[in-house]
Amino acid sequence: KTLTIEVALQIRPTMCFIGEEIRRKRRLLDDIIEEICDTIVVRNCEHDLHAGVIMIADDFFEQMIEMTELRQQMHRLRSDRIADLSSEEAALTMLPEHLVGFYASLPKTHQHALVFRTGLDDLPLLLPLDVERIVGNLVAGRLARRKQRGLRSVPHFEQHPHSLRHIALSPMPSILDCYLGYVLGHVAGCLIEQEKSGYVANVRNIGEDVLDWMPCAVPLVRLLTWSSSEEEAKVHRRQLTEEDDAFRLWDSIREHCRWGHTYRQPGPFQYWGEPASKPPASRSYSLRVIFEGYEALLEELLEECEENNRPSPQVERFKVQSGYFRLYRRKLSSLSPLQQLRLNYQPNLPQVLQGPNRLAEEHRKGRVCADEDVLRRALPCLASAGHHKEVRLEPQPDQELNVLHLLPDKPSRNMRKNDSWQTIANQSEGNLVGLAESPSDSDVGGTGKNKLDKSPMPERTPSNSQLCRFELKRFHQRIGIVLIGRAGPGVNNVIQGLYDHLQVWDGKVICIAMGVAGLVHNFSFELTEELLAPHRNQGGCDLLGQSQPEDIPKLGHDLRAISHTISRLKLDGLVVWGGRNVHSWTARLSEYFVEHKIRTCVIAVPASVQSDLPLIEQTLGYDTACKLYSSIIGNLAIQAASAGMIWCFVRIPGRSISHIAAEVALMTHPHVVLMSADTGNEQLGLTDVTQMICNIIELRSRQNCNFGVILIPDQLLTSVFEMKQLFIEIREIKDACPDLFESPSTLTWKDLIPILNMLPPLTRALFQSLPERIRVQICQAVVEGGAGTRQGGTIDLGTVETENIFRILVEAELTRRVVAGSYKGPFQAISYSLPYQARAAMPSNFDCDLGYTIGYAAATFITEERTALMVDVTKLKDDVKSWEVFGTPISSLLTFSASEVLVKKSVVPAPDSPKSEGESALPTVANYYIQPRSRLLYDISYERSMPEPEERTVISPGPIQFWGPCSASKTRTLCMPQVQRVKQMAICEETLAKLKIKACAGCPPEVLKAVNMLLQGGVDLLRQV
């Protein structure tokens, strides 16, 4: 299809399968699966590429010759052997041998439809297939069998299937479509005015400027074709052939994409700025090949692919668990037009970072754990060194008094307070005692001091107020950055801010690749402008690579090896990117460094698309993620409203509090929003949630509104009582019978029969009611979730089709209501999942500014020798210049396990007890973690800002904009007033004012004492919140 070819030319995927090509070449499913497996293995073993993108057309199975033969054979069986065709299993025994495997690969529901249902063409009905999931499962199974047989395979295979079936049916039109639709409307009007009938409105020359377009009309009879097998002439769809220039273009670069690293990111469509000023047709390869010619465009594409796949001398190759991993470098020439324009964007900085600044201690936010004694016992070295205090960056006064101003002139020492910067820098250490302390080359992790570096300084002459230890220590710093956790928008801007800050002071950024593995095994390289240039303001983290949070339990305990890596790299500071799970480990790493007198400062980046870190106003990446999800959900909502009878069940990322769900709800106004916090606090079950959804559907149906959107966080099931119990019982079966879960990645529905028989009756009935594919997904998630299942459901359910579970439950309940006569409206549903689409998105202007600010501020904190801090930027709803920068101690975010703390308080080692090498000297180490922020609904009261479900009108925010009036937009939860909190604070102030007046009017002392006790109780309560 032309659409599939256009997308392939835009993004350059690893492989692309087109229905017409498959039918023309009469390709078999088994051959295609084998080809995909061979490609994955060769890319892994010979090219060190562990990832790829495989595009599959929606008519993949429909166009297969095997599917045509299967439907015809099933039609014959219905005619000849209808008595024997009693079940799907019976059909399997009656089919020819070459169709048995193909039929068995289809889902049970589709097998049932082929046996018992008939389509409009009088052949067995072929239901719409989730092509990407079926092919992905077949590839996973084939690779696993290869591994079991000792054949060439890959150590680990993980698939992320994603469908684009519904997303582009009702999007906001592009500029070209707006122009084209408007012109075609005028052409149609002119034809009617001139009483012309039987014509199709048309426009020629659309490759030129709009003013040069040529409106015309084409007779309908020229589009009709006659066939001897058809009774009347029809307008047939144009078929893609090998002679089409667009297909020839893709065919010419297909091998480059298959074995190389050629991906591009076209980015969101722009309606303002330089992209909008270009000719509308210049963005489409399908149009460019018509107006520019095949040969010219082919030369351009081949040049881009060859340049992108050309080996670079700066490519690093690392040994990881799954083999060797190679960090391929982006090339400027291979970026999409929008990517190249985004390179020119210069992020803004707050006013406090644009000039001299200093640190001031703050007591603004308090801590999650108010018990100071628990903090000191858990992190004693950080506490004794004063790293439990919050700090704030503030501008340094211009006329600040400096100790050098008080010194008399001493000509004998050749130093005066008005000497130039270069002169003072060249003095010996004896003349500048205490002005410079930096790690020497031979003693980075120790306590030694080196002489002042006499290399030339940057050409600048600071004021006398800058002649201080702080400014001299800025020079020649080495700061490392590591990505632990999943990717997120804005990561490249953090690196960019860190790099730009250090360039002023002749410092260096050391990139630690592959996350925790890089820290342990010293996978590192020095960042240069050439490496950074293609990544400025871009999405993705292919510059450094990443590790998953699950790698921390495997490698994160080896703090000694990490400290050796830090010492070998001679780092003054380490910046750690990550979310909640990562930064609880970052606190442990900071404690270890301080305890062992490693002078490397550790600074945390609040990076989470969930924005669930406590005490942080908004995390990096949340703005981009919410805008991207809102754009997609807005498209689905408009499609549902246009059809008039479609309900969309949409699954989006959302842990326990579902911050993304709340923000997307404010942007798009869906009709049902299932918040995990509500179900968990109220102990709602599947029946309660299903009834709530059905009630709203029935309520809207009475007003002839048989459409809507339902948002479902992907972690919702961990808050539902019955599902919690199911997860715990499956985990118990796994502990008792580990052989049943020996290879969870290759589980099939047949492997679940023993598990099903071991479940209690109620749980078994629930589990059996779910589709087989979802049963497999739940078992895989529970097994891979580990011990988190025992704690009540902290497993990752991102791969479980939660939206389909609720769609099936709602369909069953509405069917029951139809039979009972309480529901009379139609119901048609589609499901859609958005689990990871925003993690590598091109960051919004807001996230670019925020990431750049965080990188800049992290370098400042490291210069001041502050460690165990998280960069905290506040007043984000104001202009960037007004932002305030704080350093919040990571310990302030921690929640401690009370039972373990109490047990370990009494366990104090004897003073003379032997201690093994590398063992920590901490008397107690509590188990601590970071809980998600938990007061979102109370603060923003999002439901009150939207109409009632039966009156809501869906909103489509459109794609993220980088230019124009919409480029500065921010999230609703950030900008809207915190209704409940502001109102209650006003009441408190009014009550205290009245209390003060009453107390001054001769109130008896015993009454004042009682009031004082009540107020003290309120203070204690606030301290615990």
Side-chain angles (χ1 to χ4, degrees):
K1 292 183 178 180
T2 306
L3 175 62
T4 308
I5 290 295
E6 176 65 32
V7 175
L9 291 171
Q10 290 286 351
I11 69 170
R12 320 284 167 80
T14 306
M15 303 180 78
C16 179
F17 294 97
I18 305 164
E20 288 92 335
E21 183 185 16
I22 292 173
R23 190 172 190 84
R24 185 170 58 250
K25 295 182 177 180
R26 302 180 66 86
R27 300 202 59 185
L28 303 179
L29 178 63
D30 191 72
D31 296 337
I32 294 175
I33 300 301
E34 192 68 22
E35 181 185 2
I36 295 175
C37 291
D38 289 339
T39 302
I40 293 173
V41 171
V42 172
R43 283 172 62 88
N44 184 290
C45 300
E46 298 181 11
H47 301 275
D48 301 327
L49 293 171
H50 299 244
V53 177
I54 298 177
M55 283 180 50
I56 307 175
D58 203 25
D59 60 347
F60 177 83
F61 279 101
E62 182 183 346
Q63 294 285 350
M64 277 191 164
I65 193 66
E66 290 170 297
M67 181 60 74
T68 303
E69 293 180 5
L70 176 63
R71 297 179 72 192
Q72 293 174 352
Q73 183 67 28
M74 201 68 71
H75 184 67
R76 293 192 199 99
L77 292 175
R78 286 185 183 184
S79 304
D80 302 339
R81 304 176 61 183
I82 186 62
D84 299 330
L85 197 63
S86 58
S87 65
E88 298 90 340
E89 291 75 14
L92 194 62
T93 60
M94 299 163 64
L95 288 172
E97 185 178 352
H98 69 281
L99 293 178
V100 170
F102 182 82
Y103 178 72
S105 66
L106 300 177
K108 283 286 184 180
T109 54
H110 293 72
Q111 293 180 11
H112 179 84
L114 288 170
V115 174
F116 297 107
R117 299 175 64 181
T118 304
L120 298 177
D121 54 357
D122 293 330
L123 290 175
L125 178 63
L126 176 61
L127 296 175
L129 287 160
D130 293 330
V131 180
E132 68 286 350
R133 293 187 181 274
I134 297 174
V135 174
N137 292 334
L138 291 174
V139 170
R142 181 70 58 87
L143 290 173
R145 287 193 295 272
R146 283 188 177 191
K147 192 174 181 180
Q148 292 172 356
R149 297 170 184 170
L151 302 177
R152 198 181 189 194
S153 184
V154 293
H156 176 72
F157 176 75
E158 182 180 350
Q159 55 169 316
H160 286 174
H162 182 57
S163 170
L164 300 175
R165 184 177 296 112
H166 310 291
I167 192 174
L169 295 181
S170 300
M172 194 172 291
S174 65
I175 295 178
L176 175 62
D177 282 336
C178 289
Y179 287 154
L180 187 58
Y182 193 72
V183 172
L184 290 175
H186 276 272
V187 173
C190 293
L191 291 173
I192 294 175
E193 183 181 6
Q194 299 180 20
E195 299 181 353
K196 300 292 184 180
S197 181
Y199 286 87
V200 177
N202 190 22
V203 177
R204 294 180 179 176
N205 207 28
I206 60 175
E208 303 297 331
D209 189 75
V210 179
L211 297 177
D212 298 326
W213 285 5
M214 299 173 59
C216 59
V218 178
L220 274 172
V221 293
R222 296 186 59 181
L223 305 179
L224 299 177
T225 56
W226 280 264
S227 174
S228 57
S229 60
E230 296 175 350
E231 298 180 356
E232 58 183 19
K234 294 183 179 179
V235 178
H236 290 278
R237 185 185 68 181
R238 182 171 65 90
Q239 296 291 326
L240 185 69
T241 64
E242 294 180 350
E243 289 73 29
D244 286 351
D245 288 338
F247 178 80
R248 292 168 59 199
L249 281 177
W250 165 247
D251 198 47
S252 62
I253 65 172
R254 175 179 286 176
E255 290 302 306
H256 292 276
C257 299
R258 184 178 181 182
W259 308 119
H261 192 79
T262 57
Y263 308 120
R264 300 198 323 164
Q265 189 175 22
F269 193 88
Q270 300 298 301
Y271 296 96
W272 288 277
E274 187 174 346
S277 63
K278 295 182 178 180
S282 64
R283 306 176 187 89
S284 169
Y285 283 99
S286 303
L287 292 176
R288 288 183 61 191
V289 74
I290 296 175
F291 299 107
E292 298 180 21
Y294 168 77
E295 297 296 336
L297 208 53
L298 175 62
E299 183 179 355
E300 175 187 327
L301 290 176
L302 290 176
E303 183 178 351
E304 290 179 3
C305 292
E306 291 173 358
E307 173 65 22
N308 208 28
N309 289 331
R310 186 173 293 124
S312 172
Q314 295 178 313
V315 171
E316 286 75 23
R317 187 170 183 257
F318 305 115
K319 181 72 171 66
V320 295
Q321 186 177 2
S322 57
Y324 284 95
F325 190 93
R326 188 184 301 273
L327 292 177
Y328 277 81
R329 298 308 179 195
R330 293 185 186 179
K331 307 291 177 60
L332 290 172
S333 59
S334 64
L335 299 180
S336 69
L338 183 59
Q339 284 181 299
Q340 295 179 5
L341 289 174
R342 288 299 288 165
L343 298 176
N344 303 323
Y345 178 74
Q346 177 56 46
N348 300 305
L349 280 175
Q351 191 68 40
V352 69
L353 291 176
Q354 295 183 12
N357 49 59
R358 65 182 181 185
L359 291 185
E361 291 188 1
E362 281 281 331
H363 303 281
R364 177 179 54 111
K365 290 187 175 180
R367 303 184 183 93
V368 172
C369 176
D371 193 339
E372 181 73 23
D373 185 55
V374 172
L375 286 175
R376 290 186 176 277
R377 288 179 179 273
L379 304 169
C381 297
L382 289 175
S384 60
H387 294 301
H388 281 335
K389 299 177 181 179
E390 184 182 9
V391 296
R392 173 184 178 181
L393 273 176
E394 60 182 24
Q396 192 176 48
D398 295 335
Q399 301 299 326
E400 183 178 275
L401 183 64
N402 190 286
V403 68
L404 292 179
H405 293 172
L406 304 178
L407 297 176
D409 292 342
K410 296 183 179 180
S412 60
R413 298 181 65 178
N414 297 322
M415 186 179 77
R416 299 183 301 275
K417 63 181 181 181
N418 293 326
D419 282 343
S420 69
W421 178 261
Q422 185 65 47
T423 304
I424 294 177
N426 290 330
Q427 301 296 320
S428 65
E429 185 179 346
N431 289 341
L432 294 177
V433 175
L435 293 182
E437 296 179 9
S438 60
S440 65
D441 292 343
S442 60
D443 191 20
V444 176
T447 59
K449 298 180 182 180
N450 67 324
K451 305 246 180 219
L452 266 177
D453 193 343
K454 297 183 181 181
S455 59
M457 300 290 180
E459 296 182 359
R460 57 174 288 178
T461 305
S463 61
N464 291 330
S465 64
Q466 291 177 301
L467 302 181
C468 59
R469 171 175 173 271
F470 173 72
E471 293 296 340
L472 289 179
K473 283 184 66 62
R474 285 179 180 262
F475 283 95
H476 311 299
Q477 283 191 323
R478 292 170 61 87
I479 299 179
I481 183 167
V482 60
L483 273 60
I484 305 177
R486 296 176 176 87
V491 57
N492 291 312
N493 292 95
V494 175
I495 302 173
Q496 179 181 341
L498 194 63
Y499 179 82
D500 289 351
H501 181 277
L502 292 178
Q503 287 306 292
V504 178
W505 306 98
D506 198 23
K508 295 180 180 178
V509 175
I510 306 301
C511 296
I512 299 174
M514 308 310 299
V516 182
L519 284 172
V520 174
H521 302 297
N522 193 13
F523 301 155
S524 61
F525 59 93
E526 182 181 331
L527 185 65
T528 63
E529 179 60 37
E530 181 183 359
L531 291 177
L532 179 62
H535 296 269
R536 288 183 178 267
N537 307 308
Q538 305 297 319
C541 60
D542 49 323
L543 176 61
L544 273 70
Q546 66 175 14
S547 66
Q548 299 299 327
E550 294 78 14
D551 294 338
I552 292 179
K554 300 176 184 177
L555 300 172
H557 63 278
D558 196 357
L559 300 180
R560 186 179 181 185
I562 293 175
S563 65
H564 289 169
T565 299
I566 297 298
S567 298
R568 283 194 295 269
L569 295 176
K570 305 174 184 178
L571 297 183
D572 298 291
L574 177 66
V575 179
V576 181
W577 162 286
R580 289 190 301 110
N581 297 332
V582 172
H583 289 320
S584 58
W585 174 83
T586 304
R588 197 179 303 276
L589 179 67
S590 305
E591 172 72 13
Y592 183 87
F593 281 4
V594 174
E595 178 192 2
H596 291 80
K597 297 181 174 56
I598 300 172
R599 298 179 57 185
T600 301
C601 301
V602 180
I603 303 297
V605 174
S608 170
V609 296
Q610 306 281 345
S611 193
D612 55 358
L613 282 167
L615 307 181
I616 303 298
E617 191 168 317
Q618 182 169 301
T619 57
L620 182 59
Y622 179 71
D623 184 85
T624 303
C626 290
K627 289 177 180 176
L628 179 61
Y629 291 137
S630 299
S631 174
I632 297 174
I633 293 172
N635 293 348
L636 294 172
I638 296 299
Q639 177 198 350
S642 301
M645 45 177 30
I646 294 179
W647 279 88
C648 297
F649 288 72
V650 185
R651 173 167 57 100
I652 60 176
R655 296 192 183 116
S656 55
I657 306 303
S658 313
H659 296 261
I660 293 181
E663 176 61 34
V664 171
L666 292 171
M667 287 187 174
T668 60
H669 288 195
H671 303 94
V672 182
V673 185
L674 301 180
M675 304 295 285
S676 333
D678 295 342
T679 58
N681 294 335
E682 301 174 16
Q683 289 295 316
L684 295 180
L686 283 176
T687 303
D688 301 314
V689 179
T690 304
Q691 292 289 342
M692 180 180 65
I693 298 174
C694 292
N695 290 341
I696 294 177
I697 293 176
E698 185 174 344
L699 185 63
R700 288 183 57 81
S701 178
R702 292 172 185 170
Q703 301 183 3
N704 294 324
C705 296
N706 296 301
F707 63 91
V709 177
I710 301 171
L711 293 189
I712 307 172
D714 58 12
Q715 295 295 104
L716 178 69
L717 293 181
T718 62
S719 302
V720 178
F721 177 75
E722 296 97 330
M723 299 304 296
K724 281 183 181 179
Q725 190 65 28
L726 174 62
F727 300 152
I728 293 174
E729 290 170 356
I730 293 177
R731 180 65 192 184
E732 291 174 351
I733 294 174
K734 192 266 179 184
D735 293 339
C737 306
D739 296 341
L740 297 177
F741 300 86
E742 195 168 341
S743 54
S745 60
T746 59
L747 279 175
T748 63
W749 64 272
K750 294 182 180 179
D751 301 325
L752 302 182
I753 296 177
I755 301 173
L756 192 65
N757 295 331
M758 298 175 68
L759 289 172
L762 292 178
T763 310
R764 183 193 311 160
L766 169 63
F767 195 53
Q768 201 165 9
S769 66
L770 301 175
E772 294 167 351
R773 185 174 69 192
I774 296 179
R775 294 184 219 167
V776 173
Q777 294 168 356
I778 289 177
C779 287
Q780 291 173 343
V782 172
V783 173
E784 295 171 358
T789 317
R790 301 191 188 93
Q791 301 171 3
T794 58
I795 60 176
D796 183 9
L797 296 179
T799 59
V800 178
E801 299 174 49
T802 310
E803 72 282 6
N804 282 327
I805 294 177
F806 283 101
R807 178 179 60 82
I808 293 169
L809 293 174
V810 168
E811 286 177 346
E813 171 60 19
L814 290 178
T815 302
R816 186 194 66 81
R817 294 189 181 191
V818 169
V819 174
S822 61
Y823 179 71
K824 300 180 180 179
F827 178 76
Q828 182 180 354
I830 61 174
S831 56
Y832 201 80
S833 62
L834 301 172
Y836 33 70
Q837 279 74 0
R839 294 201 172 274
M842 199 175 291
S844 63
N845 288 349
F846 176 87
D847 276 336
C848 285
D849 296 338
L850 182 58
Y852 195 75
T853 299
I854 290 174
Y856 235 82
T860 303
F861 291 147
I862 291 172
T863 302
E864 279 282 14
E865 297 183 347
R866 297 284 182 157
T867 191
L869 290 180
M870 178 176 290
V871 182
D872 179 14
V873 185
T874 63
K875 293 189 176 180
L876 295 176
K877 66 180 179 181
D878 299 334
D879 186 70
V880 178
K881 292 184 178 180
S882 303
W883 289 359
E884 295 183 353
V885 181
F886 293 84
T888 299
I890 304 177
S891 58
S892 299
L893 281 61
L894 298 177
T895 298
F896 297 86
S897 178
S899 59
E900 296 195 18
V901 171
L902 292 176
V903 170
K904 293 185 178 182
K905 280 184 179 180
S906 61
V907 181
V908 180
D912 300 329
S913 61
K915 183 173 63 174
S916 61
E917 184 180 358
E919 184 181 348
S920 174
L922 298 176
T924 59
V925 179
N927 180 32
Y928 47 81
Y929 53 94
I930 299 178
Q931 279 190 334
R933 190 154 49 99
S934 59
R935 288 181 292 172
L936 183 67
L937 298 182
Y938 175 83
D939 286 342
I940 67 171
S941 186
Y942 81 99
E943 289 181 336
R944 298 185 181 181
S945 62
M946 294 189 294
E948 293 299 321
E950 64 272 16
E951 300 175 358
R952 288 180 194 170
T953 302
V954 292
I955 300 173
S956 179
I960 299 175
Q961 297 298 296
F962 302 126
W963 292 269
C966 298
S967 60
S969 64
K970 299 177 182 179
T971 57
R972 303 290 195 275
T973 51
L974 185 66
C975 297
M976 71 183 301
Q978 296 179 343
V979 181
Q980 295 295 326
R981 181 177 294 179
V982 173
K983 181 179 179 180
Q984 295 298 328
M985 287 181 63
I987 294 175
C988 287
E989 291 177 359
E990 182 180 353
T991 304
L992 290 174
K994 292 180 180 179
L995 183 64
K996 186 175 181 180
I997 294 174
K998 295 288 185 181
C1000 297
C1003 185
E1006 58 273 12
V1007 176
L1008 287 177
K1009 185 177 180 180
V1011 172
N1012 184 48
M1013 292 177 62
L1014 292 174
L1015 291 177
Q1016 186 60 43
V1019 172
D1020 294 339
L1021 178 63
L1022 291 174
R1023 190 174 295 161
Q1024 296 174 10
V1025 175

